Every structure is written in structure tokens, then in C-alpha cells.
Amino acid sequence: MPGTEYSLARGTSTVRSRLAWTLAGFGILALGACLLAPLAGGTSISLRNVFDRAQPYATNIDAQIFFIARLPRVIAAALVGSALALSGVVFQALLRNPLASPDTLGVSAGASLGAMLAITFNADVSIGGLSTVPLASFTGSLGALAIVYGLSVIRRGGTSTMVLLLGGVTLTALLSAVMGFVQFVADFTQTFRNVRWMMGSLDVASYAPIVAALVPMAFACAGFATLPRVLDLISVGAESAAARGVDVARTERVALISASLATGAAVSLAGPVAFIGIIVPHLVRLIVGADHRLVLPASALFGATLLIACDVVARTIMAPLELPVGIVTALVGAPVFLWLLFRRA
Amino acid sequence: MKKLLLLLSLAALLLTTRAVPSAQRGPVAPPPGRIVSLVPATTEMLYAMGAGSRVVGVGTYDRYPPEVDKLPRLGGLLDPNIEQLIAIRPDLVIVYDTQTELRRQLERAGIPMWGYSTKGLSDVTATIKSLGDRIGMAAQANAAATGIDARLQAVRTRVAKLPRPKTLLIFGREPGSLRGMNASGGYGFLHDLVELAGGVDVLGDIKQAAVSMSSEMVLARAPDVIIELHYGEAWPPAKIESERRVWSALPSVPAVRNGRVTLLTGDEFVVPGPRVPLAAERLAAVLHPESSR
């Protein structure tokens, strides 16, 4: 892993001041994105009208576009962007592989399969204002997590990462095959909806799905909060981490479960949004170095900023039509990733 | 390389020539007695002109008239079963114009075919007439087409002088939420039906058959009437009511404010066939309840 010049011996106060600067810098970016993004869109709205108390809310179109269509969307983008970026950081460290992303271990594919099953078989369950598709999607991600977790429990000695990685890749392939089968039995409109879902969308149109996604994301963040220092050691090597007193098995479990929960929540909220989880960690490490105490919070903030920005592009570039956000993230992400790759080579 | 290019262009020329529907070449063969129709719209047309007894096979998605349930199903747009198709020994197969691979296979098997495509409402009667010509039932087909035109004209006349509400026609979304909405844009037979039934398509300026709608677009375009089409399995009244209530998330939309969100079921809305007058009448009844009997 490049950038391992970081050492635990470095003074805590230096790290604290770097952390403060990092949080301030990326925080201002994210805050700016959150404040500006609701102003942009396919329709022009007047801020004066939005906050005009004289107009009843029930007939105030500008206020409703702002509070019903755009604000939930920006919040969803921030949450999904953060969750995917954090998962990306953790998976890359856990698997000691710069190509790892939230999609690598099959959790994302599990979430996609869940959504596809719900769409294709017209499942109809709703809990607390949450509709069937996100519920099925999150359930799918938990199913995939259970399988991956099972793999991580039965693994042997030093090959754990390799087993986990190959197991995850195999699981993804298996789930993709099942998705292919589901697509095969789906009719035209369902196929269309499945394909459209796979392109990602942040138009959540209410706050209920956001609140629901916050629950697993909060658990994930609690897990992530315990990780920064041990991830630094584990990303160098499991054996050297163990030699320094890290409970490697436990850390790997916490990392795996937290990152998977965050991924599942993000995919069930917005569909599989590509590339955020792989490029944000790399871009952030270029700027702040490899210390996970800085990389984790900075990635969360930068992931949020980037996805909010991509969504603004998605809903304005072809106005009044809106592009699926996953297309924009892939179109932006792929060239950036190639640039990173060649820069390293 | 030059040889290859020549070969490729020859092949392309040959394929383009083959892609011309046999109907346009004029009736050369005797009227077909064993017809396979893989397209629901043309199946309905055959029955409407009285050629139902000649239909020996249909596609996966054919549901109407009920008689088609007894016929062998030979696949859909993407997965036609060529083996079964040949085994059934048809003397005419009606295929989608886009089924190029199937057309090639039928061509090789020497089975005559007739290509179907549709762009708008006016294509329905035009297709009926042309299909009638091809199967030697021109008079019956013309009679069926005239009946359809007359009923459509009756709807048009009835709503002609009435105010035209801005209408949003949704033909798919995620149940229980306003996500993944697909609406009819300013092109295609659903758009034509809305305009004929006395509405103004709120997406009329977007020249696409299907438009992915966001909640912002619905709020911004402020339709007076929202009509949702639901097909496939029937929904109980309670489900229909709960799906209507989903729209209350957008209270400023006039259709929502004035309780003018309607869910319609029935595949006459998806099949651009002889039942389009029924679809037009049902849409007109929703758009202009005051004019419906």
C-alpha cells in the first residue's frame, strides 16, 4: 500500500491538527454542495417563494419542489455517497486490494437481486412507509452478507483475505447469474423497471426511506469509528497487525459487517451507484495520505460531495429529462479511475 | 479487405431487401390458412376481421380474445421458439419488424412472414387494412377498420368543445411509492389516445414514447389529471385506493388536490389493436366525466 509513511509514533497533536484541517476542508466542500444543490434542477424556482410563509404550503409549488423533490434527494445523495465511500475505504484496507469496492464481496449484488425479485414477482409488502423494493433490496444485501460472513468464519489461517476475496467474487458471479435468470422470466415492463433500477436513482420523493436507511448506516458508522487505527495496521499485513496486538479476526468481522451494512443501506436507497466506492478512497488518499483516521472522515465527506454533484449534473444536463445518476457517476468515475491507474503506473 | 467490404455491403443490401414486409410486395401467394401471430395487436386484429379460425399459434403475451388461451404459445419478442414455429407448419408468420434474427431464420426455412411495427394511433387501422389485404380478407378488414374509426371519431366529437385538462399518463412505477415512474411522452399511441380523448399530454413536448419521471417533474408540470395504467394481475379495490393515496405526497399538484388521480386496469391500453376505441372511451370518461353517459 503506498503512503505507509504514516507511523503510530507520530505525535497525536499533529494528527489532531491535520484531522481538523481535513475535516474543515472536506466539510466546507460537503456543506457547500448540500446548500447549493437544492437550488439547481430542471425547473427554476425562487428561494423567496420557497420560504414565503404568506403562501399556503399546499399550493406552493416552489416550496414543494424544494422540500419534497430536491431536499430529500440531496440528503439521500449525501448519505449514499458517504456510505459507499466509507465502505470502499474499509474494503480496500480489509482486503488489502486497491481494486476492492463496495461491490466486491457480493453485498451489492445481493441487494440488486432482492430488488429485482421484488420488481419481477410483484411482491407487495410495506413497513412503516417503506415500499417493497428497498425492503427486498436490503434483505438481499443481508442474505449476501450472511454468506460472506459464513465464508469469513470457516476460512483458514493466513489465506483469509484471499478466500474472502475469491469467495466474494464468486458469490457476485453466482448472484449475477440468478439476476440473469430473473430478467429472463420477467416481462417487458418488469425488465424495463429492472434495468432502470440498476442505473441508480436518488429521487426518493419522501423522507421515510432516508430515515429507514439511517438505521443500518448508524450501526455501520459505530463500527467504522472503532476501525481507523487497526485498519492502518491491517492494511499493511494481518501478521504484523497481530504482532502489534490487534485482534485481527475480530477487526475483520467488524469491518466486514459495518461496510456491508452501509453498502446494503446505500444500494437499497439508491440502486447500485457505480464508482463512488472505488474512486473516492483513492482520491482522498492522494490528498490526505494513508492514515485511516483522516481517510475515513474525509472519504465520507468527499463521497457525499461527489455524489451530490453527480446528481446535480444528472438532473440538469438533459433538463427537463433526468439521467439516471449511476450513468453520470460511471461516466465521471471511469476516466478518473483510469487516470489514477496510469498515474501510478 | 476490399472483397470483404464488397461482401459485407452485398449482405447488407440483401438483408435490407429481405426486411421489406411481404405485405408491401403485394399478395403473391394464395391466402394463408395457417397463421402464427407473435404480436398481441395483430392477433386481436385477425380475430376482429373474422380470421380467428386461421390462427394456429400465438406469442407469449397474447391474452385476448380468450380463445387464444387454447393455442400453442411460440415465444415472445426476444425469445421466439423457432423449432416449435417451424413444426407447426404455418403459411404466414406475423413478426415484429425488430425481430431481425427470427426473420432471417424464417426466410431460411422458406416460411412467408409479415412484419409489424407501429408508431401511433393511426397505424392501428392502417395495419388492419394492410393485414386484411395480405390474408385475402380486405373487405372484412376494411369494415373492422371503419368501425374502429367511427367509434374513435365519436369520442373525438364528444370532447371537441370541452376544456382540455393537462394530463399525465403513468404506465409504471414502484408500488407503494412515487419512485421509478414511467410516463407516456409526446409520441406513440398512448399519447395519441390522451389527445384524442380530450386531454393535453403534459409531456407532449418530450418526443419520446416513454419518459422516466421524477417527483420534481410531476410538481413542475402540475397535471390536472393523473391516469395510471396497471396491467397484469388485478388489484383489489383496497390496493387501488392505497396506491392512489401514494400521490398525496405531492399535494400541490392540481390532480392530487382535486382528487383527479385515477387507476385504470385493462390491456386495451397496452395493445394498439382493435380495442383502442374502448381505451379511448375509458380515457374520455376519466378526462370528461361530465360528458360520459
Side-chain angles (χ1 to χ4, degrees):
Chain A
M1 201 99 193
T4 42
E5 78 284 352
Y6 159 73
S7 115
L8 286 181
R10 180 176 290 174
T12 321
S13 61
T14 323
V15 175
R16 262 199 204 136
S17 91
R18 284 184 64 205
L19 182 63
W21 279 110
T22 306
L23 286 182
F26 284 101
I28 287 169
L29 266 182
L31 189 69
C34 286
L35 291 176
L36 292 176
L39 306 178
T43 324
S44 70
I45 57 170
S46 132
L47 261 193
R48 187 175 291 169
N49 281 347
V50 169
F51 295 102
D52 182 5
R53 292 283 179 92
Q55 286 192 55
Y57 179 72
T59 53
N60 189 340
I61 295 180
D62 284 7
Q64 290 192 16
I65 288 180
F66 189 88
F67 288 110
I68 298 175
R70 291 191 190 165
L71 203 53
R73 194 169 177 145
V74 172
I75 298 172
L79 285 178
V80 171
S82 300
L84 292 176
L86 283 168
S87 309
V89 171
V90 171
F91 278 132
Q92 286 172 11
L94 175 70
L95 300 169
R96 291 184 279 285
N97 189 323
L99 281 172
S101 78
D103 308 327
T104 308
L105 292 190
V107 179
S108 185
S112 300
L113 176 61
M116 269 194 189
L117 286 170
I119 292 171
T120 305
F121 296 103
N122 297 315
D124 190 9
V125 186
S126 78
I127 303 172
L130 259 194
S131 55
T132 314
V133 176
L135 281 172
S137 172
F138 189 65
T139 310
S141 73
L142 290 183
L145 168 60
I147 298 173
V148 175
Y149 185 80
L151 289 173
S152 78
V153 171
I154 56 169
R155 73 204 164 176
R156 295 272 181 280
T159 58
S160 65
T161 307
M162 191 58 86
V163 170
L164 200 58
L165 191 57
L166 289 176
V169 170
T170 310
L171 178 64
T172 304
L174 177 70
L175 292 172
S176 303
V178 181
M179 278 192 259
F181 177 74
V182 174
Q183 284 281 52
F184 176 75
V185 297
D187 74 21
F188 286 118
T189 49
Q190 291 159 345
T191 303
F192 185 73
R193 282 179 59 204
N194 282 331
V195 170
R196 186 63 191 73
W197 189 88
M198 291 296 287
M199 294 177 181
S201 164
L202 290 159
D203 183 32
V204 289
S206 76
Y207 294 90
I210 296 175
V211 174
L214 274 174
V215 178
M217 283 182 189
F219 277 104
C221 285
F224 291 145
T226 67
L227 291 176
R229 292 181 143 252
V230 280
L231 279 187
D232 285 337
L233 296 169
I234 279 189
S235 59
V236 177
E239 279 162 18
S240 67
R244 291 188 184 211
V246 174
D247 181 347
V248 175
R250 187 183 160 279
T251 305
E252 286 181 351
R253 277 202 294 277
V254 172
L256 174 63
I257 293 175
S258 310
S260 300
L261 276 179
T263 304
V267 177
S268 61
L269 187 59
V273 178
F275 273 108
I276 297 285
I278 193 164
I279 57 161
V280 169
H282 287 289
L283 286 173
V284 166
R285 272 195 293 267
L286 278 180
I287 300 166
V288 305
D291 184 343
H292 281 93
R293 282 172 290 183
L294 302 174
V295 173
L296 275 168
S299 294
L301 292 167
F302 191 56
T305 311
L306 190 62
L307 191 52
I308 291 172
C310 285
D311 187 48
V312 168
V313 173
R315 58 199 162 88
T316 50
I317 198 164
M318 281 181 69
L321 295 178
E322 294 184 3
L323 268 183
V325 71
I327 293 180
V328 179
T329 56
L331 283 177
V332 174
V336 171
F337 194 69
L338 285 178
W339 172 72
L340 278 175
L341 216 62
F342 284 104
R343 193 179 162 278
R344 281 192 175 183
Chain B
M1 189 66 194
K2 266 188 183 168
K3 256 187 185 172
L4 184 71
L5 273 177
L6 192 69
L7 210 65
L8 279 176
S9 35
L10 261 177
L13 192 71
L14 215 60
L15 288 177
T16 340
T17 321
R18 281 177 179 186
V20 176
S22 3
Q24 288 170 23
R25 287 189 225 136
V28 284
R34 296 179 61 79
I35 306 173
V36 164
S37 164
L38 296 176
V39 188
T42 51
T43 307
E44 291 193 24
M45 288 172 190
L46 289 168
Y47 277 88
M49 64 181 81
S53 59
R54 294 204 228 159
V55 180
V56 294
V58 292
T60 315
Y61 301 107
D62 281 272
R63 294 203 191 108
Y64 189 89
E67 290 95 302
V68 299
D69 282 342
K70 295 182 201 131
L71 295 172
R73 296 190 180 267
L74 306 169
L77 172 63
L78 301 176
D79 55 352
N81 189 327
I82 185 74
E83 267 185 41
Q84 269 189 326
L85 230 165
I86 293 173
I88 216 162
R89 290 178 293 106
D91 45 19
L92 183 68
V93 180
I94 301 170
V95 298
Y96 290 95
D97 258 350
T98 49
Q99 288 178 300
T100 39
E101 183 55 33
L102 173 65
R103 296 167 68 101
R104 242 170 264 156
Q105 286 168 322
L106 289 173
E107 188 85 36
R108 279 199 293 270
I111 298 175
M113 72 197 103
W114 193 85
Y116 163 84
S117 72
T118 180
K119 290 192 175 69
L121 188 57
S122 57
D123 291 339
V124 174
T125 45
T127 307
I128 290 179
K129 288 178 191 165
S130 144
L131 182 58
D133 256 359
R134 174 65 180 85
I135 66 164
M137 293 186 76
Q140 295 91 325
N142 284 340
T146 310
I148 290 168
D149 279 335
R151 274 174 76 188
L152 289 176
Q153 186 53 40
V155 176
R156 205 178 275 127
T157 313
R158 204 162 69 228
V159 300
K161 299 230 164 69
L162 300 172
R164 300 167 69 80
K166 283 194 291 175
T167 307
L168 172 63
L169 192 73
I170 299 267
F171 60 84
R173 71 172 160 85
E174 201 175 284
S177 81
L178 292 180
R179 302 193 65 182
M181 289 182 278
N182 294 308
S184 154
Y187 172 83
F189 100 104
L190 284 174
H191 163 80
D192 295 345
L193 275 176
V194 167
E195 299 273 338
L196 181 139
V200 172
D201 189 342
V202 275
L203 300 175
D205 58 315
I206 301 174
K207 297 295 172 205
Q208 292 184 5
V211 176
S212 286
M213 282 296 270
S214 65
S215 47
E216 175 165 340
M217 280 172 84
V218 181
L219 285 165
R221 302 227 161 196
D224 301 311
V225 177
I226 294 174
I227 298 174
E228 284 200 81
L229 304 179
H230 172 75
Y231 13 82
E233 69 189 73
W235 275 348
K239 173 69 180 163
I240 292 182
E241 197 39 48
S242 76
E243 287 299 333
R244 277 191 64 214
R245 272 201 304 275
V246 169
W247 288 95
S248 61
L250 307 178
S252 76
V253 174
V256 178
R257 229 173 31 231
N258 303 320
R260 298 201 65 186
V261 178
T262 306
L263 255 99
L264 294 178
T265 55
D267 34 309
E268 61 268 28
F269 294 107
V270 247
V271 180
R275 286 185 293 162
V276 286
L278 177 62
E281 285 155 7
R282 292 185 66 194
L283 285 178
V286 174
L287 294 174
H288 299 287
E290 70 282 5
S291 79
S292 64
R293 286 153 293 180

